[in-house]
Short mmCIF file of all heavy atoms in Angstrom, two decimals:
data_model
loop_
_atom_site.label_atom_id
_atom_site.label_comp_id
_atom_site.label_asym_id
_atom_site.label_seq_id
_atom_site.Cartn_x
_atom_site.Cartn_y
_atom_site.Cartn_z
N MET A 870 0.88 -1.26 -0.03
CA MET A 870 -0.07 -0.10 -0.06
C MET A 870 0.94 1.27 -0.02
O MET A 870 1.89 1.39 0.80
CB MET A 870 -0.89 -0.04 1.32
CG MET A 870 -1.84 1.17 1.35
SD MET A 870 -2.98 0.94 2.74
CE MET A 870 -1.94 1.30 4.13
N LYS A 871 0.63 2.12 -0.90
CA LYS A 871 1.29 3.48 -1.02
C LYS A 871 0.59 4.46 -0.17
O LYS A 871 -0.49 4.60 -0.23
CB LYS A 871 1.57 3.98 -2.40
CG LYS A 871 2.24 2.86 -3.28
CD LYS A 871 3.33 3.45 -4.14
CE LYS A 871 4.04 2.54 -5.01
NZ LYS A 871 4.13 1.10 -4.72
N VAL A 872 1.48 5.22 0.60
CA VAL A 872 1.01 6.19 1.43
C VAL A 872 1.54 7.54 0.97
O VAL A 872 2.77 7.80 0.75
CB VAL A 872 1.30 6.01 2.91
CG1 VAL A 872 0.58 7.08 3.88
CG2 VAL A 872 0.97 4.60 3.37
N SER A 873 0.67 8.57 0.90
CA SER A 873 1.19 9.77 0.62
C SER A 873 0.38 11.12 1.21
O SER A 873 -0.81 10.81 1.58
CB SER A 873 1.21 10.08 -0.91
OG SER A 873 -0.02 10.13 -1.52
N VAL A 874 1.02 12.13 1.50
CA VAL A 874 0.40 13.32 2.03
C VAL A 874 0.54 14.39 1.08
O VAL A 874 1.56 14.71 0.48
CB VAL A 874 1.12 13.74 3.37
CG1 VAL A 874 0.44 15.01 3.83
CG2 VAL A 874 0.80 12.59 4.41
N ASP A 875 -0.59 15.09 0.63
CA ASP A 875 -0.54 16.21 -0.24
C ASP A 875 -0.37 17.47 0.54
O ASP A 875 -1.13 17.97 1.39
CB ASP A 875 -2.02 16.23 -0.91
CG ASP A 875 -2.00 17.40 -1.93
OD1 ASP A 875 -1.16 18.38 -1.92
OD2 ASP A 875 -2.90 17.36 -2.80
N PRO A 876 0.84 17.96 0.39
CA PRO A 876 1.28 19.28 1.12
C PRO A 876 0.41 20.41 0.96
O PRO A 876 0.29 21.31 1.66
CB PRO A 876 2.72 19.40 0.76
CG PRO A 876 2.92 18.78 -0.43
CD PRO A 876 2.02 17.54 -0.49
N ASP A 877 -0.29 20.45 -0.21
CA ASP A 877 -1.21 21.48 -0.50
C ASP A 877 -2.37 21.46 0.36
O ASP A 877 -3.17 22.48 0.38
CB ASP A 877 -1.43 21.59 -2.10
CG ASP A 877 -0.22 21.91 -2.89
OD1 ASP A 877 0.73 22.59 -2.33
OD2 ASP A 877 -0.24 21.47 -4.01
N LEU A 878 -2.84 20.32 0.61
CA LEU A 878 -4.12 20.13 1.53
C LEU A 878 -3.92 20.09 2.95
O LEU A 878 -4.70 20.61 3.81
CB LEU A 878 -4.80 18.82 0.97
CG LEU A 878 -5.33 18.70 -0.41
CD1 LEU A 878 -5.83 17.39 -0.71
CD2 LEU A 878 -6.39 19.78 -0.72
N CYS A 879 -2.81 19.54 3.33
CA CYS A 879 -2.42 19.31 4.86
C CYS A 879 -2.33 20.81 5.47
O CYS A 879 -1.80 21.63 4.83
CB CYS A 879 -1.13 18.63 4.89
SG CYS A 879 -0.52 18.56 6.69
N TYR A 880 -3.09 20.91 6.61
CA TYR A 880 -2.78 22.20 7.36
C TYR A 880 -2.21 21.93 8.70
O TYR A 880 -2.16 22.87 9.56
CB TYR A 880 -4.19 22.92 7.41
CG TYR A 880 -5.35 22.31 8.36
CD1 TYR A 880 -5.19 22.36 9.72
CD2 TYR A 880 -6.29 21.57 7.73
CE1 TYR A 880 -6.13 21.75 10.42
CE2 TYR A 880 -7.31 21.09 8.55
CZ TYR A 880 -7.24 21.06 9.93
OH TYR A 880 -8.17 20.48 10.59
N GLY A 881 -1.57 20.71 8.91
CA GLY A 881 -0.72 20.55 9.99
C GLY A 881 -1.35 20.24 11.26
O GLY A 881 -1.00 20.80 12.43
N SER A 882 -2.43 19.61 11.30
CA SER A 882 -3.21 19.34 12.57
C SER A 882 -2.48 18.27 13.33
O SER A 882 -2.68 18.07 14.52
CB SER A 882 -4.59 18.73 12.26
OG SER A 882 -4.46 17.38 11.65
N ALA A 883 -1.56 17.51 12.76
CA ALA A 883 -0.73 16.59 13.45
C ALA A 883 -1.43 15.36 13.93
O ALA A 883 -0.85 14.47 14.62
CB ALA A 883 0.17 17.12 14.55
N GLU A 884 -2.72 15.10 13.55
CA GLU A 884 -3.42 13.95 13.94
C GLU A 884 -2.85 12.69 13.48
O GLU A 884 -2.81 11.79 14.11
CB GLU A 884 -4.89 14.09 13.56
CG GLU A 884 -5.59 15.15 14.39
CD GLU A 884 -7.02 15.33 13.79
OE1 GLU A 884 -7.74 14.39 13.69
OE2 GLU A 884 -7.33 16.57 13.61
N CYS A 885 -2.39 12.70 12.20
CA CYS A 885 -1.76 11.60 11.73
C CYS A 885 -0.46 11.06 12.44
O CYS A 885 -0.25 9.91 12.59
CB CYS A 885 -1.48 11.71 10.17
SG CYS A 885 -0.46 13.10 9.83
N VAL A 886 0.22 12.11 12.79
CA VAL A 886 1.56 11.88 13.56
C VAL A 886 1.19 11.14 14.86
O VAL A 886 2.00 10.23 15.16
CB VAL A 886 2.37 13.25 13.73
CG1 VAL A 886 3.62 12.95 14.32
CG2 VAL A 886 2.52 13.78 12.35
N HIS A 887 0.25 11.67 15.56
CA HIS A 887 -0.22 11.14 16.91
C HIS A 887 -0.61 9.77 16.73
O HIS A 887 -0.47 8.84 17.55
CB HIS A 887 -1.04 12.01 17.52
CG HIS A 887 -0.54 13.32 18.08
ND1 HIS A 887 0.50 13.49 18.84
CD2 HIS A 887 -0.99 14.54 17.64
CE1 HIS A 887 0.74 14.67 19.11
NE2 HIS A 887 -0.06 15.39 18.39
N ARG A 888 -1.43 9.49 15.69
CA ARG A 888 -2.07 8.33 15.43
C ARG A 888 -1.04 7.21 14.94
O ARG A 888 -1.07 5.99 15.47
CB ARG A 888 -3.24 8.31 14.35
CG ARG A 888 -4.23 7.32 14.53
CD ARG A 888 -5.53 7.80 13.67
NE ARG A 888 -6.53 8.34 14.61
CZ ARG A 888 -7.05 9.55 14.52
NH1 ARG A 888 -6.70 10.42 13.43
NH2 ARG A 888 -7.97 10.01 15.40
N VAL A 889 -0.18 7.39 13.97
CA VAL A 889 0.74 6.43 13.58
C VAL A 889 2.20 7.19 13.38
O VAL A 889 2.62 7.28 12.28
CB VAL A 889 0.25 5.96 12.24
CG1 VAL A 889 1.04 4.66 11.92
CG2 VAL A 889 -1.22 5.72 12.10
N PRO A 890 2.78 7.20 14.49
CA PRO A 890 4.08 8.01 14.45
C PRO A 890 5.17 7.23 13.74
O PRO A 890 6.14 7.79 13.34
CB PRO A 890 4.41 8.18 15.92
CG PRO A 890 3.55 7.21 16.67
CD PRO A 890 2.39 6.96 15.85
N SER A 891 4.97 5.94 13.52
CA SER A 891 5.93 5.11 12.82
C SER A 891 5.89 5.32 11.33
O SER A 891 6.93 5.15 10.61
CB SER A 891 5.80 3.65 13.06
OG SER A 891 4.50 3.22 12.66
N VAL A 892 4.76 5.97 10.84
CA VAL A 892 4.68 6.15 9.39
C VAL A 892 4.70 7.71 9.04
O VAL A 892 5.28 8.09 8.06
CB VAL A 892 3.34 5.55 8.92
CG1 VAL A 892 3.04 5.95 7.46
CG2 VAL A 892 3.42 4.11 9.07
N PHE A 893 4.05 8.52 9.99
CA PHE A 893 3.96 9.92 9.73
C PHE A 893 4.75 10.73 10.69
O PHE A 893 5.00 10.48 11.77
CB PHE A 893 2.48 10.35 9.86
CG PHE A 893 1.43 9.76 8.98
CD1 PHE A 893 0.80 8.59 9.40
CD2 PHE A 893 1.41 10.09 7.64
CE1 PHE A 893 -0.12 8.12 8.52
CE2 PHE A 893 0.48 9.51 6.78
CZ PHE A 893 -0.28 8.45 7.23
N ALA A 894 5.36 11.79 10.09
CA ALA A 894 6.20 12.70 10.86
C ALA A 894 5.64 14.11 10.66
O ALA A 894 4.98 14.45 9.73
CB ALA A 894 7.70 12.51 10.49
N PHE A 895 6.09 14.97 11.57
CA PHE A 895 5.63 16.50 11.51
C PHE A 895 6.94 17.18 11.04
O PHE A 895 8.01 17.14 11.73
CB PHE A 895 5.30 16.86 12.91
CG PHE A 895 4.31 18.02 12.90
CD1 PHE A 895 3.19 18.06 12.15
CD2 PHE A 895 4.64 19.15 13.63
CE1 PHE A 895 2.30 19.09 12.13
CE2 PHE A 895 3.79 20.19 13.60
CZ PHE A 895 2.56 20.18 12.97
N GLU A 896 6.83 17.72 9.82
CA GLU A 896 7.96 18.50 9.26
C GLU A 896 7.49 19.93 8.82
O GLU A 896 6.59 20.01 8.16
CB GLU A 896 8.45 17.73 8.01
CG GLU A 896 9.06 16.40 8.44
CD GLU A 896 9.57 15.65 7.08
OE1 GLU A 896 9.42 16.17 5.96
OE2 GLU A 896 10.07 14.50 7.26
N ASP A 897 8.31 20.90 9.43
CA ASP A 897 8.04 22.29 9.08
C ASP A 897 6.61 22.59 9.26
O ASP A 897 6.01 23.30 8.44
CB ASP A 897 8.58 22.58 7.72
CG ASP A 897 9.95 22.37 7.40
OD1 ASP A 897 10.72 22.58 8.36
OD2 ASP A 897 10.41 21.85 6.39
N GLY A 898 5.94 22.02 10.28
CA GLY A 898 4.52 22.48 10.58
C GLY A 898 3.55 21.53 9.79
O GLY A 898 2.42 22.00 9.94
N TYR A 899 3.91 20.64 9.09
CA TYR A 899 3.01 19.82 8.19
C TYR A 899 3.31 18.34 8.49
O TYR A 899 4.35 17.92 8.82
CB TYR A 899 3.16 20.14 6.88
CG TYR A 899 2.76 21.59 6.55
CD1 TYR A 899 3.63 22.63 6.50
CD2 TYR A 899 1.35 21.96 6.47
CE1 TYR A 899 3.20 23.90 6.34
CE2 TYR A 899 0.97 23.26 6.26
CZ TYR A 899 1.81 24.35 6.15
OH TYR A 899 1.41 25.55 5.91
N GLY A 900 2.19 17.52 8.21
CA GLY A 900 2.38 16.16 8.22
C GLY A 900 3.15 15.63 7.01
O GLY A 900 2.94 16.24 5.89
N ALA A 901 3.79 14.49 7.16
CA ALA A 901 4.60 14.04 6.07
C ALA A 901 4.78 12.64 6.33
O ALA A 901 4.78 12.14 7.45
CB ALA A 901 5.89 14.66 5.85
N VAL A 902 4.97 11.68 5.17
CA VAL A 902 5.15 10.36 5.34
C VAL A 902 6.77 10.27 5.63
O VAL A 902 7.57 10.76 4.84
CB VAL A 902 4.84 9.57 4.08
CG1 VAL A 902 5.16 8.07 4.14
CG2 VAL A 902 3.35 9.82 3.80
N ARG A 903 7.10 9.43 6.62
CA ARG A 903 8.55 9.30 6.96
C ARG A 903 9.23 8.56 5.72
O ARG A 903 8.62 7.75 5.09
CB ARG A 903 8.69 8.32 8.11
CG ARG A 903 8.27 8.89 9.43
CD ARG A 903 8.64 8.02 10.59
NE ARG A 903 8.12 8.50 11.86
CZ ARG A 903 8.94 9.39 12.58
NH1 ARG A 903 10.12 9.93 12.02
NH2 ARG A 903 8.41 9.92 13.55
N PRO A 904 10.54 8.83 5.44
CA PRO A 904 11.24 8.45 4.25
C PRO A 904 11.23 6.99 4.59
O PRO A 904 11.57 6.42 5.65
CB PRO A 904 12.68 9.01 4.55
CG PRO A 904 12.30 10.27 5.22
CD PRO A 904 11.15 10.11 6.06
N GLY A 905 11.10 6.21 3.53
CA GLY A 905 11.10 4.78 3.53
C GLY A 905 9.79 4.09 3.96
O GLY A 905 9.57 2.85 3.89
N ARG A 906 8.79 4.87 4.34
CA ARG A 906 7.51 4.38 4.71
C ARG A 906 6.45 4.71 3.80
O ARG A 906 5.18 4.50 4.07
CB ARG A 906 7.06 4.91 6.18
CG ARG A 906 8.08 4.63 7.24
CD ARG A 906 8.41 2.98 7.32
NE ARG A 906 7.11 2.26 7.49
CZ ARG A 906 6.48 1.76 8.58
NH1 ARG A 906 7.06 2.15 9.79
NH2 ARG A 906 5.44 1.01 8.64
N GLU A 907 6.84 5.07 2.59
CA GLU A 907 5.76 5.40 1.61
C GLU A 907 5.12 4.02 1.04
O GLU A 907 3.92 3.98 0.70
CB GLU A 907 6.50 6.07 0.29
CG GLU A 907 7.19 7.37 0.65
CD GLU A 907 8.53 7.32 1.09
OE1 GLU A 907 9.02 6.14 1.35
OE2 GLU A 907 9.14 8.41 1.16
N ASP A 908 5.86 2.97 1.18
CA ASP A 908 5.43 1.64 0.93
C ASP A 908 5.18 0.86 2.28
O ASP A 908 6.22 0.51 2.85
CB ASP A 908 6.26 0.77 -0.03
CG ASP A 908 6.14 1.19 -1.42
OD1 ASP A 908 5.13 1.04 -2.06
OD2 ASP A 908 7.17 1.54 -2.02
N SER A 909 4.07 0.96 2.65
CA SER A 909 3.74 0.30 3.96
C SER A 909 2.71 -0.83 3.81
O SER A 909 2.01 -0.91 2.94
CB SER A 909 3.14 1.41 4.99
OG SER A 909 4.09 2.36 5.30
N GLU A 910 2.80 -1.66 4.92
CA GLU A 910 1.84 -2.75 5.00
C GLU A 910 0.50 -2.15 5.10
O GLU A 910 0.28 -1.08 5.74
CB GLU A 910 2.03 -3.76 6.19
CG GLU A 910 3.43 -4.46 6.08
CD GLU A 910 3.39 -5.57 4.89
OE1 GLU A 910 2.32 -6.33 4.91
OE2 GLU A 910 4.22 -5.57 4.10
N ASP A 911 -0.54 -2.94 4.59
CA ASP A 911 -1.99 -2.45 4.95
C ASP A 911 -2.22 -2.52 6.33
O ASP A 911 -2.00 -3.61 6.96
CB ASP A 911 -2.91 -3.35 3.94
CG ASP A 911 -4.28 -2.88 3.98
OD1 ASP A 911 -4.64 -1.88 4.78
OD2 ASP A 911 -5.04 -3.44 3.24
N ASP A 912 -2.57 -1.48 6.90
CA ASP A 912 -2.55 -1.43 8.39
C ASP A 912 -3.89 -0.55 8.84
O ASP A 912 -4.05 0.47 8.31
CB ASP A 912 -1.33 -0.71 8.99
CG ASP A 912 -1.36 -0.63 10.50
OD1 ASP A 912 -2.33 -0.58 11.07
OD2 ASP A 912 -0.22 -0.49 11.00
N PRO A 913 -4.78 -1.15 9.57
CA PRO A 913 -6.03 -0.44 9.98
C PRO A 913 -5.68 0.93 10.61
O PRO A 913 -6.40 1.89 10.33
CB PRO A 913 -6.68 -1.36 10.96
CG PRO A 913 -6.01 -2.71 10.86
CD PRO A 913 -4.70 -2.42 10.27
N LEU A 914 -4.52 1.21 11.26
CA LEU A 914 -4.23 2.38 11.84
C LEU A 914 -3.89 3.42 10.84
O LEU A 914 -4.27 4.66 10.87
CB LEU A 914 -2.99 2.31 12.77
CG LEU A 914 -3.32 1.66 14.22
CD1 LEU A 914 -2.02 1.67 14.97
CD2 LEU A 914 -4.34 2.64 14.99
N ILE A 915 -3.22 3.03 9.71
CA ILE A 915 -2.98 3.93 8.59
C ILE A 915 -4.29 4.42 7.92
O ILE A 915 -4.48 5.44 7.53
CB ILE A 915 -1.99 3.31 7.69
CG1 ILE A 915 -0.69 3.00 8.40
CG2 ILE A 915 -1.74 4.14 6.46
CD1 ILE A 915 0.44 2.32 7.47
N ARG A 916 -5.12 3.38 7.71
CA ARG A 916 -6.50 3.63 7.07
C ARG A 916 -7.28 4.67 7.95
O ARG A 916 -7.90 5.56 7.37
CB ARG A 916 -7.23 2.39 7.00
CG ARG A 916 -6.79 1.44 5.88
CD ARG A 916 -7.59 0.12 5.75
NE ARG A 916 -7.09 -0.73 4.81
CZ ARG A 916 -7.70 -0.84 3.64
NH1 ARG A 916 -8.81 -0.11 3.32
NH2 ARG A 916 -7.23 -1.70 2.66
N GLU A 917 -7.14 4.41 9.24
CA GLU A 917 -7.85 5.42 10.22
C GLU A 917 -7.28 6.74 10.06
O GLU A 917 -8.02 7.73 10.09
CB GLU A 917 -7.73 4.73 11.68
CG GLU A 917 -8.63 5.57 12.59
CD GLU A 917 -8.51 4.96 13.92
OE1 GLU A 917 -8.37 3.68 14.06
OE2 GLU A 917 -8.56 5.72 15.01
N ALA A 918 -6.02 6.85 10.07
CA ALA A 918 -5.36 8.17 9.86
C ALA A 918 -5.82 8.84 8.62
O ALA A 918 -5.99 10.03 8.72
CB ALA A 918 -3.73 8.01 9.90
N ALA A 919 -5.90 8.09 7.46
CA ALA A 919 -6.36 8.71 6.26
C ALA A 919 -7.76 9.21 6.36
O ALA A 919 -8.24 10.27 6.01
CB ALA A 919 -6.16 7.72 5.20
N GLU A 920 -8.75 8.29 7.03
CA GLU A 920 -10.01 8.61 7.07
C GLU A 920 -10.31 9.80 8.06
O GLU A 920 -11.21 10.58 7.77
CB GLU A 920 -10.88 7.28 7.62
CG GLU A 920 -10.97 6.26 6.56
CD GLU A 920 -11.43 4.92 7.10
OE1 GLU A 920 -11.71 4.95 8.30
OE2 GLU A 920 -11.47 3.93 6.58
N ARG A 921 -9.46 10.01 9.00
CA ARG A 921 -9.74 11.06 10.13
C ARG A 921 -8.89 12.25 9.79
O ARG A 921 -9.08 13.11 10.65
CB ARG A 921 -9.40 10.46 11.45
CG ARG A 921 -10.16 9.31 11.84
CD ARG A 921 -10.62 9.16 13.14
NE ARG A 921 -11.56 8.05 13.42
CZ ARG A 921 -11.82 7.56 14.59
NH1 ARG A 921 -11.27 8.16 15.52
NH2 ARG A 921 -12.68 6.64 14.69
N CYS A 922 -8.17 12.19 8.75
CA CYS A 922 -7.43 13.42 8.41
C CYS A 922 -8.43 14.62 8.22
O CYS A 922 -9.23 14.42 7.20
CB CYS A 922 -6.54 13.31 7.13
SG CYS A 922 -5.82 14.83 6.46
N PRO A 923 -8.39 15.65 8.84
CA PRO A 923 -9.41 16.65 8.60
C PRO A 923 -9.43 17.36 7.37
O PRO A 923 -10.40 18.06 6.97
CB PRO A 923 -9.32 17.53 9.91
CG PRO A 923 -7.77 17.38 10.31
CD PRO A 923 -7.40 16.03 9.93
N SER A 924 -8.25 17.25 6.66
CA SER A 924 -8.28 17.97 5.26
C SER A 924 -8.17 16.92 4.07
O SER A 924 -7.99 17.33 3.05
CB SER A 924 -7.09 18.96 5.25
OG SER A 924 -5.85 18.10 5.39
N GLN A 925 -8.29 15.68 4.53
CA GLN A 925 -8.26 14.62 3.44
C GLN A 925 -7.09 14.77 2.64
O GLN A 925 -7.14 14.59 1.40
CB GLN A 925 -9.71 14.61 2.63
CG GLN A 925 -10.89 14.41 3.37
CD GLN A 925 -12.14 14.36 2.57
OE1 GLN A 925 -12.30 14.96 1.63
NE2 GLN A 925 -13.11 13.67 3.17
N ALA A 926 -5.88 14.88 3.31
CA ALA A 926 -4.64 15.18 2.62
C ALA A 926 -3.89 13.86 2.38
O ALA A 926 -2.98 13.74 1.63
CB ALA A 926 -3.78 16.14 3.44
N ILE A 927 -4.42 12.78 3.12
CA ILE A 927 -3.73 11.46 3.01
C ILE A 927 -4.31 10.58 1.97
O ILE A 927 -5.47 10.25 1.90
CB ILE A 927 -3.67 10.74 4.33
CG1 ILE A 927 -3.03 11.69 5.35
CG2 ILE A 927 -2.97 9.43 4.30
CD1 ILE A 927 -3.18 11.17 6.86
N THR A 928 -3.49 10.15 1.00
CA THR A 928 -4.06 9.19 -0.05
C THR A 928 -3.26 7.84 0.12
O THR A 928 -2.13 7.78 0.31
CB THR A 928 -3.65 9.77 -1.49
OG1 THR A 928 -4.21 10.99 -1.62
CG2 THR A 928 -4.03 8.76 -2.56
N LEU A 929 -4.10 6.83 0.11
CA LEU A 929 -3.62 5.45 0.15
C LEU A 929 -3.94 4.75 -1.21
O LEU A 929 -5.01 4.84 -1.69
CB LEU A 929 -4.43 4.69 1.29
CG LEU A 929 -4.41 5.28 2.75
CD1 LEU A 929 -5.18 4.39 3.62
CD2 LEU A 929 -2.90 5.37 3.19
N THR A 930 -2.95 4.13 -1.71
CA THR A 930 -3.09 3.43 -2.98
C THR A 930 -2.74 1.99 -2.67
O THR A 930 -1.76 1.61 -2.28
CB THR A 930 -2.16 4.02 -3.98
OG1 THR A 930 -2.45 5.38 -4.06
CG2 THR A 930 -2.50 3.46 -5.44
N LEU A 931 -3.77 1.10 -2.89
CA LEU A 931 -3.61 -0.24 -2.63
C LEU A 931 -2.83 -0.82 -3.84
O LEU A 931 -2.99 -0.67 -4.92
CB LEU A 931 -5.03 -0.95 -2.51
CG LEU A 931 -5.82 -0.61 -1.31
CD1 LEU A 931 -7.15 -1.32 -1.23
CD2 LEU A 931 -5.03 -0.81 0.06
N ASP A 932 -1.84 -1.89 -3.36
CA ASP A 932 -1.16 -2.54 -4.44
C ASP A 932 -2.18 -3.52 -5.13
O ASP A 932 -3.05 -3.92 -4.65
CB ASP A 932 0.01 -3.42 -3.62
CG ASP A 932 0.88 -2.53 -2.86
OD1 ASP A 932 1.33 -1.44 -3.52
OD2 ASP A 932 1.37 -2.99 -1.84
N GLU A 933 -1.76 -3.64 -6.44
CA GLU A 933 -2.63 -4.42 -7.29
C GLU A 933 -2.54 -5.92 -6.81
O GLU A 933 -1.56 -6.34 -6.45
CB GLU A 933 -2.22 -4.28 -8.82
CG GLU A 933 -2.44 -2.93 -9.14
CD GLU A 933 -3.89 -2.58 -9.34
OE1 GLU A 933 -4.77 -3.54 -9.87
OE2 GLU A 933 -4.36 -1.47 -8.94
S1 LIG B 869 -3.89 14.56 9.79
FE1 LIG B 869 -4.00 15.41 7.69
S2 LIG B 869 -3.98 17.61 8.01
FE2 LIG B 869 -3.31 16.79 9.94
S3 LIG B 869 -1.06 16.72 9.77
FE3 LIG B 869 -1.72 14.76 9.01
S4 LIG B 869 -2.08 15.00 6.83
FE4 LIG B 869 -2.00 17.08 7.75
#
């Protein structure tokens, strides 16, 4: 599963960072995917982070 954060949509609530700190980091006031974690295992916590992102800035792309 590919994980990405759209920096144009993110407004830095940091909820994703609190929810899944192993995948998301807070950089320069915005949420970002940690380097090397763009390809992550399908994880309910990551799905929850995407669903609950208040600006819908997190995109998950399932592997074929
Ligand atoms: S939860 Fe969404 S808006 Fe908040 S920091 Fe993460 S990506 Fe940005």
Side-chain angles (χ1 to χ4, degrees):
M870 183 170 74
K871 301 225 177 342
V872 187
S873 64
V874 172
D875 184 337
D877 292 332
L878 293 177
C879 171
Y880 67 78
S882 71
E884 289 173 51
C885 58
V886 183
H887 291 301
R888 203 162 262 127
V889 200
S891 60
V892 172
F893 299 99
F895 206 53
E896 292 179 1
D897 299 327
Y899 295 96
V902 180
R903 288 186 182 280
R906 297 307 305 268
E907 298 89 350
D908 279 304
S909 289
E910 292 292 312
D911 191 350
D912 181 335
L914 280 178
I915 299 175
R916 288 174 179 261
E917 189 179 326
E920 286 167 9
R921 301 217 176 164
C922 169
S924 62
Q925 300 185 328
I927 300 172
T928 298
L929 306 180
T930 308
L931 296 180
D932 298 326
E933 295 292 317

